[in-house]
Amino acid sequence: MTIAEKEIKKFETSNCDQDKVFYQAMEEVIYSIGPLLESDEKYTRYAILERLVVPDRIIKFKVVWLDDNQNIMVNTGYRVQFNNALGPYKGGLRFHPTVNEGILKFLGFEQILKNALTGLPIGGGKGGSDFNPKGKSDFEVMKFCSAFMTELHKYIGPRMDIPAGDIGVGSREIGYLFGEYKKITSTYEGVLTGKPYMFGGSFMRPEATGYGVVYFTETMLEIENQESLEGKICTVSGAGNVALHVIEKLLEIGAIPVTCSDSTGTIYDARGVDLALLKELKLEKRLSLEGYKLSHPEAEFMPAYEYLEDRHAVWDIPCYAAFPCATQNELSEMDAQNLISNGCVSVSEGANMPSTPDAIAAFLSHKICFAPAKAANAGGVAVSEFEMSQNASMTKWSFEKVDEKLKETMQQICTRVALTAKDYGVEGNYVDGSNIAGFKRVADAMIAEGI
Ligand code: NDP
């Protein structure tokens, strides 16, 4: 039995229903780092895996608020402070009805390695609530955010834990959360990132994750195939912060993104999606994508309910490069097979863990250039760290400076991942390259800091 197999066995009992996605993420990492564990016994001697897979603490609290009809509403809030070996806990807040402890543990665990890959001084954490902002008025969202921060403020701080956005948490929610933190603590400090620019936000934080995914993909394609995305057909899933900015950057560099999707269905517009219309529908009006057809009757709308759980319309469309940017496990093995047989060359994960393990195995065995989330979507957290730096030094960087540093960071991550994969005998495998490079950085810090 290999060391990786022995380590996996230790955690099998924790594979309860809620923890399934967490276990999925953990198993991938443990198998990936097998060669590192075999080559250096210190990681086993210092029990790094046992220590890394258990969060430092999980804070769980009740959030009580009043809706617009004066009904008392009750939700659950969480903050998972996972690991701070490299810096203060850092990771987003997700507001979505599916949020539970298991999902946040998976996201927090991934965040540790993602943050390590950036080379910046940030640890890993994640949080959120089962609150659904969809269909709520601005006042209701404000009241929920105030109630959520009433409890959360006790556990966060600019040197302790700095949350940001994720699904359901954009600059509106971050603004309300920041306002409440400021009121409670009477301090004006960089305790959250993703703030609107007018009060402490960085240029480019909204764009950072999506733009970063495209910068990473361009670098990976250059290294692996000496090709670029210019003039290539691309498919994108999702229609939120990450997806819209992937589409924006693809259009800017001359690629042709032809799809996007939301929880109601998929749009396929063969001439390239209309970004201005998408922003109006999803960001300004917060409507379903179905409305896209009113302005573009020639585009196709494929309703989500017509598809089985393990099939997604986006991945039926032939493309050169695919960008899953909606949510976890949204790209199944069957979707992967479709992409491969339709000639797809590259897959880059904008969302966290959007591809199932079987889908990833299919991509790797067919030598598809596959960019895993923890490397490809690290641009968001990198610019969050730039926001922390600007807040701490009371300065503002220009758009050009942030963009340049983001591009440089994504190119460095990509090169580091490619070289690590080569060093450990798995050239071209960016999954193993990312896991080994991220794990090594955190593990070495944990060893140096003692128990
Ligand atoms: P948003 O809330 O802005 O958008 C999410 C999009 O995905 C929406 O179009 C939403 O549809 C769709 N979606 C969400 N859940 C489901 C579901 N269960 N089934 C079908 N569609 C769904 O979130 P983000 O764009 O910020 O985040 C997307 C992904 O990227 C997540 O995995 C997140 O963790 C990851 N990520 C985000 C970062 C960021 O900076 N924002 C940083 C790194 C990773 P609808 O509009 O109908 O709700």
Side-chain angles (χ1 to χ4, degrees):
M1 203 183 253
T2 64
I3 298 181
E5 281 163 349
K6 278 189 211 150
E7 293 289 348
I8 295 270
K9 273 219 135 341
K10 288 186 199 159
F11 306 115
E12 262 166 12
T13 47
S14 68
N15 195 8
C16 74
D17 229 29
Q18 267 202 13
D19 271 349
K20 276 216 159 88
V21 275
F22 172 53
Y23 193 79
Q24 180 184 332
M26 195 169 78
E27 196 171 56
E28 177 199 289
V29 170
I30 298 177
Y31 277 125
S32 264
I33 61 172
L36 180 68
L37 300 180
E38 300 286 348
S39 70
D40 196 334
E41 55 76 42
K42 76 175 177 218
Y43 299 111
T44 312
R45 184 155 44 92
Y46 281 90
I48 294 299
L49 271 171
E50 283 93 327
R51 292 159 60 194
L52 194 65
V53 300
V54 180
D56 288 351
R57 63 196 66 79
I58 299 178
I59 299 141
K60 183 173 177 182
F61 50 92
K62 182 171 64 184
V63 187
V64 185
W65 56 285
L66 276 182
D67 76 5
D68 286 347
N69 299 316
Q70 307 306 312
N71 296 310
I72 296 174
M73 309 299 284
V74 186
N75 288 98
T76 307
Y78 305 87
R79 186 71 185 161
V80 179
Q81 296 182 331
F82 225 119
N83 183 291
N84 62 356
L86 292 172
Y89 305 108
K90 178 97 200 84
L93 296 171
R94 177 176 289 193
F95 292 169
H96 194 271
T98 57
V99 163
N100 59 40
E101 213 172 289
I103 288 188
L104 296 176
K105 273 165 65 186
F106 130 63
L107 290 165
F109 180 69
E110 290 284 288
Q111 195 81 43
I112 305 170
L113 302 185
K114 177 188 311 192
N115 294 1
L117 278 174
T118 65
L120 299 166
I122 38 181
K126 201 81 189 186
S129 171
D130 56 0
F131 169 74
N132 186 0
K134 232 184 252 176
K136 304 286 190 303
S137 70
D138 276 357
F139 270 115
E140 288 175 323
V141 172
M142 188 197 297
K143 281 186 279 184
F144 174 80
C145 289
S146 299
F148 183 83
M149 187 51 88
T150 304
E151 193 60 29
L152 184 72
H153 85 275
K154 300 170 192 166
Y155 311 103
I156 60 175
R159 303 268 165 188
M160 189 199 303
D161 183 355
I162 307 96
D166 190 74
I167 290 181
V169 180
S171 62
R172 173 183 63 168
E173 289 75 16
I174 293 287
Y176 294 150
L177 290 164
F178 182 72
E180 187 64 25
Y181 179 88
K182 194 165 60 73
K183 197 165 85 189
I184 299 171
T185 61
S186 301
T187 53
Y188 200 104
E189 54 191 7
V191 71
L192 290 154
T193 57
K195 298 184 288 299
Y197 182 74
M198 66 186 131
F199 52 87
S202 172
F203 268 130
M204 277 202 71
R205 177 58 190 88
E207 294 89 349
T209 308
Y211 282 20
V213 172
V214 178
Y215 293 150
F216 188 98
T217 308
E218 285 274 75
T219 314
M220 172 176 74
L221 286 169
E222 175 58 39
I223 295 175
E224 301 298 326
N225 293 356
Q226 296 77 54
E227 287 180 344
S228 90
L229 289 166
E230 195 182 346
K232 307 288 197 323
I233 302 287
C234 300
T235 49
V236 181
S237 67
N241 177 275
V242 179
L244 293 181
H245 292 108
V246 164
I247 291 172
E248 185 164 88
K249 186 49 79 179
L250 287 173
L251 289 168
E252 207 180 296
I253 63 170
I256 310 159
V258 294
T259 63
C260 59
S261 67
D262 67 8
S263 48
T264 66
T266 295
I267 285 289
Y268 170 44
D269 190 337
R271 300 156 318 151
V273 292
D274 177 344
L275 181 64
L277 176 60
L278 276 185
K279 284 189 172 177
E280 184 191 324
L281 282 174
K282 297 305 295 184
L283 296 183
E284 287 163 36
K285 299 186 175 159
R286 297 175 191 269
L287 293 174
S288 147
L289 276 179
E290 210 168 349
Y292 188 97
K293 263 188 84 71
L294 294 174
S295 305
H296 291 293
E298 69 289 356
E300 257 182 82
F301 177 73
M302 296 165 266
Y305 61 79
E306 286 185 0
Y307 283 78
L308 297 173
E309 212 171 77
D310 61 347
R311 294 276 296 96
H312 304 91
V314 179
W315 317 124
D316 278 349
I317 310 294
C319 65
Y320 171 86
F323 295 87
C325 299
T327 192
Q328 63 270 7
N329 289 330
E330 53 153 317
L331 198 161
S332 66
E333 184 185 7
M334 232 194 293
D335 294 325
Q337 297 296 356
N338 270 344
L339 282 166
I340 294 164
S341 51
N342 283 333
C344 176
V345 162
S346 148
V347 178
S348 301
E349 297 189 320
N352 283 314
M353 209 170 73
S355 317
T356 63
D358 292 340
I360 296 175
F363 291 138
L364 295 179
S365 69
H366 284 83
K367 302 278 177 233
I368 303 293
C369 291
F370 178 74
K374 60 173 73 74
N377 74 18
V381 77
V383 173
S384 273
E385 200 276 346
F386 302 163
E387 184 174 329
M388 286 159 63
S389 295
Q390 292 171 74
N391 291 165
S393 58
M394 308 282 271
T395 51
K396 283 277 194 193
W397 299 356
S398 68
F399 189 95
E400 290 69 29
K401 176 170 174 177
V402 181
D403 194 26
E404 195 182 305
K405 282 183 77 71
L406 170 66
K407 198 178 227 173
E408 193 183 288
T409 305
M410 298 315 294
Q411 288 168 344
Q412 278 170 2
I413 296 174
C414 190
T415 314
R416 188 175 310 136
V417 165
L419 285 176
T420 306
K422 196 170 173 194
D423 285 351
Y424 284 85
V426 283
E427 191 167 359
N429 182 333
Y430 283 46
V431 175
D432 290 353
S434 306
N435 286 328
I436 294 171
F439 175 85
K440 199 168 175 328
R441 189 159 178 254
V442 182
D444 289 345
M446 286 171 73
I447 291 170
E449 288 169 15
I451 56 167

